[in-house]
Structure formats: C-alpha cells, structure tokens
Amino acid sequence: MNSSELKKLIEGIPKAELHLHIEGSFEPELMFEIAKRNNKEIPYKSVAELKNAYKFNNLQEFLDIYYAGANVLITEQDFFDLTWAYLTKVHSQNVVHVEVFFDPQTHTDRGIAFDVVITGIYKALEKANKELNISYKLIMSYLRHLSEEEAFKTLEASIPFKSWIDGVGLDSSEKGNPPSKFEKVFKASADHGYKLVAHAGEEGPSEYIWEALDILNVDRIDHGNRCLDDEKLVQKLIKDNIALTLCPLSNLELKVISKMEDHPVAKMLEKGILATIHSDDPAYFGGYMNENFYETAKALNLNKDQIKQLAINAFEASWLSNEDKAKHISKVENYFNK
Ligand code: ADE
Ligand code: ZN
C-alpha cells in the first residue's frame, strides 16, 4: 500500500475514540477567539507563536501549557464551542463513537462552576448525537497532582449530573502520584455507579498499572505503555481482556518514545493485548484519529489485518452495549471485506 492508499483506507474506517481530553482538543484559533470575547490575555502574540510553543520534553511541560490554555474558558457557550468543534472535526474523520474526558478541577479551581462546564459539554454531545449520529460517553477525570480530598469534592459536585456522566478517570502528572492515592474516591465513585478508568504506565512504572487494576479496580487503562516491562502483567491484561487506550502521537510529542518506529502497539497486538489507538490531546500533538492511525501504521508497517484489529478493538473496549458493539464491528468487517 502506498501512502495515499493507506490514508484513504484509514479515512474510511468507522472509528471509536476512547481517549480524548476535551481540553486537549482546544485549537489555537478557537483559543484566541474565545480569549478575545472573554477579554482574557494569552501570553502569545499570535496563533503561530502559540503553536511554536508546543514543544515538550515530558508530560509536565505539556500539562503546564494545557492548563494555561484552558484558562480562557469561562462560560457555558465556551465549553459548548470547544466540544462542538471537536465533534465536527472527528465527524469529518468518520469517528462514530466517542468517550470524552473532561477535567472539572481545571475549571472549578479557577472559580468556574461545575454546572457551567458540564452543561456546555453535554449540550454539544447531545447535539452531535442527534445531528451527526455520534454516540458518546462522558468521563470525569480527577487530577492526580491534587489531593484525594479535592477529588472527593469533585465527586460530590458531580452527583446532581450523575445521569450525564458514565465514568471517572485519573489524569495529570503521573510520576509521584500513584493510583493508590485515590483508592477511597474510586471506591466511592464506583458506589455511585460510575465506571472506572485511569491513566497508568505512560511515564510512570508498570507498578502503577498493577495498582490501577488491583487497588482502583479500573476496567480499562489509559496508555499503559510500560506494561511490556512486566510479563506477568501482560498475561493478566490478556487473561482479563483489559484494554489499553494508546496514543501514539502523544507518546511521540511527550517523549514517551523517541521515534514512532519504537511504538509498542504492534508488539502488544502480537501478544494478544486489547490495544487501541486514540488522540489524547489532538490540538497539541499534531493529529486526530486519522493522523494517529496513519503515522502509526506507516512507521510500524502495519498490515490491513492489524489496522482492522485496532479499529475493532476500540469498539470492543468501549462502553457501548454488546448489541451496539456488534453492529459497529460488523460495519468495520464489511468495510475491510469490500
Ligand atoms: N491530561 C491531558 N492529557 C494527559 C496525558 N497525556 N497524561 C496525563 N494527563 C493528561
Ligand atoms: Zn490522556
């Protein structure tokens, strides 16, 4: 397959995105527009200058800029516009199901009310469901650099909106903030009926993946790159069919890998791990779903069967009903058989 055939193949696949931070989809053009209408300063003169600052040596350098960018989001309309821009973009890439993270504390800590944030996001998701036929789940993520007590406050704030929220996650600075720090709030979240996921093994060690599984009881791991350091863990992931939501362009931009050819996803598929590909923070890492599929497939020389497997795995790992999973998976199968 040449490059344009590979691109065309990937564009046509019906896809599911399971690892996407809505704040990470904030494109510089929209950031400037929203900053202007809210009379907020951005410490960069232009879109070009801002984009030029997107050079990261690690997760923390990225997070500092990502939280600063989110500062200009104030009103329900801002959160709606942010989410709607993401949804129309991925609709153009044939993404048919999304499971979206939002970081309430990034906003509530600046004095923006929880209901303002979630209402804007929710209205855009509902509109996309009706008008673009995109199904969705919403995941509230706790910031792990903050305390468990603060996560509990966020859980409390979420209760009136419980029917809009499908699960909770754990993100932000991984090193030094192990999953075990959040044992109680994850247990309480599960008691409220929330599903559980956590970022683990992105920069942190494989032990954090064990903790996410054994202590937090998550049913999916975000990233999980470092699992390959521990064969016993690999065997557990396979046996329990635990999905890893990998983000290749993110890994490259945050120096989790030094070149795309080193990305572990092909090895993971070969071992039988339920590995999937997503975009994480597409506005910062240079690509949405199609670009992540394309760059990975090109660098690792993935064949059609491997690309198909990745597309199927994402529906398999999603929180859709078994009936909806089967419908989507048969569409993927048909697409590859035609
Ligand atoms: N928040 C947004 N993107 C993240 C990532 N890649 N890791 C941890 N926290 C994040
Ligand atoms: Zn992430």
Side-chain angles (χ1 to χ4, degrees):
M1 232 182 314
N2 64 34
S3 299
S4 68
E5 287 165 345
L6 178 60
K7 262 191 192 145
K8 201 158 165 263
L9 174 79
I10 288 167
E11 280 164 15
I13 308 170
K15 288 170 287 280
E17 167 119 280
L18 308 181
H19 185 160
L20 176 280
H21 303 266
I22 201 63
E23 294 88 352
S25 73
F26 202 5
E27 290 287 351
E29 290 79 3
L30 183 60
M31 198 182 287
F32 270 88
E33 190 184 316
I34 290 182
K36 194 170 167 206
R37 78 184 182 210
N38 288 338
N39 277 320
K40 285 283 214 179
E41 282 282 333
I42 297 181
Y44 298 93
K45 281 198 213 71
S46 64
V47 165
E49 200 181 285
L50 175 58
K51 281 185 181 167
N52 204 35
Y54 292 177
K55 294 189 181 83
F56 316 110
N57 291 303
N58 53 46
L59 175 59
Q60 193 58 52
E61 286 186 13
F62 155 68
L63 290 169
D64 292 344
I65 284 206
Y66 160 93
Y67 294 129
N71 268 332
V72 306
L73 297 163
I74 311 283
T75 65
E76 182 187 309
Q77 186 69 45
D78 299 340
F79 288 94
F80 177 91
D81 290 349
L82 170 70
T83 309
W84 183 246
Y86 164 71
L87 291 163
T88 51
K89 171 70 188 180
V90 295
H91 179 61
S92 77
Q93 294 203 343
N94 212 10
V95 172
V96 295
H97 177 68
V98 296
E99 303 194 354
V100 172
F101 288 112
F102 74 117
D103 290 343
Q105 290 156 295
T106 299
H107 315 296
T108 52
D109 281 8
R110 305 181 283 117
I112 312 297
F114 189 99
D115 74 293
V116 167
V117 178
I118 195 167
T119 306
I121 295 171
Y122 175 77
K123 283 184 180 169
L125 289 166
E126 276 291 298
K127 182 175 162 81
N129 184 242
K130 291 194 184 74
E131 295 179 15
L132 309 176
N133 202 23
I134 296 178
S135 54
Y136 72 88
K137 307 285 176 188
L138 184 56
I139 312 173
M140 171 176 88
S141 209
Y142 301 123
L143 297 183
R144 70 201 305 158
H145 67 275
L146 301 177
S147 68
E148 185 176 51
E149 194 186 333
E150 284 167 285
F152 263 110
K153 285 189 199 142
T154 304
L155 172 60
E156 243 167 69
S158 79
I159 300 307
F161 304 95
K162 211 163 138 172
S163 65
W164 294 356
I165 302 170
D166 298 279
V168 303
L170 186 65
D171 65 3
S172 192
S173 321
E174 187 182 12
K175 281 185 186 162
N177 294 299
S180 51
K181 180 176 160 187
F182 296 91
E183 179 175 3
K184 292 191 201 76
V185 77
F186 266 64
K187 168 82 175 65
S189 304
D191 289 344
H192 279 292
Y194 291 140
K195 290 176 166 290
L196 311 175
V197 294
H199 284 52
E202 179 187 15
E203 277 190 347
S206 53
E207 285 76 18
Y208 284 16
I209 304 175
W210 279 113
E211 285 193 10
L213 296 171
D214 290 348
I215 299 178
L216 301 187
N217 287 310
V218 301
D219 65 21
R220 204 160 75 194
I221 296 284
D222 296 307
H223 297 293
N225 297 51
R226 294 289 299 277
C227 75
L228 293 178
D229 296 349
D230 181 343
E231 187 54 28
K232 202 169 148 217
L233 175 58
V234 167
Q235 291 312 315
K236 181 182 169 63
L237 296 174
I238 296 167
K239 181 170 79 55
D240 295 345
N241 211 27
I242 306 287
L244 303 183
T245 63
L246 300 157
C247 304
L249 283 172
S250 164
N251 293 158
L252 188 65
E253 293 303 312
L254 300 186
K255 311 288 188 286
V256 169
I257 51 173
S258 53
K259 55 185 190 306
M260 196 55 107
E261 286 75 10
D262 293 340
H263 199 274
V265 67
K267 207 176 285 169
M268 288 169 172
L269 285 180
E270 198 182 309
K271 285 178 174 285
I273 295 173
L274 188 60
T276 64
I277 282 189
H278 311 288
S279 70
D280 208 7
D281 302 284
Y284 292 90
F285 302 145
Y288 288 75
M289 284 289 281
N290 284 350
E291 292 79 14
N292 271 279
F293 262 82
Y294 175 75
E295 294 302 332
T296 312
K298 191 175 68 160
L300 301 179
N301 225 338
L302 299 183
N303 62 33
K304 265 192 181 183
D305 280 344
Q306 290 168 303
I307 297 170
K308 178 170 86 172
Q309 191 65 54
L310 284 169
I312 289 174
N313 284 359
F315 289 108
E316 195 57 61
S318 75
W319 291 339
L320 287 164
S321 68
N322 285 339
E323 192 187 342
D324 286 336
K325 283 185 192 183
K327 265 189 222 155
H328 286 295
I329 290 170
S330 85
K331 283 186 191 164
V332 175
E333 299 272 10
N334 287 343
Y335 174 72
F336 277 89
N337 288 338
K338 75 173 194 251

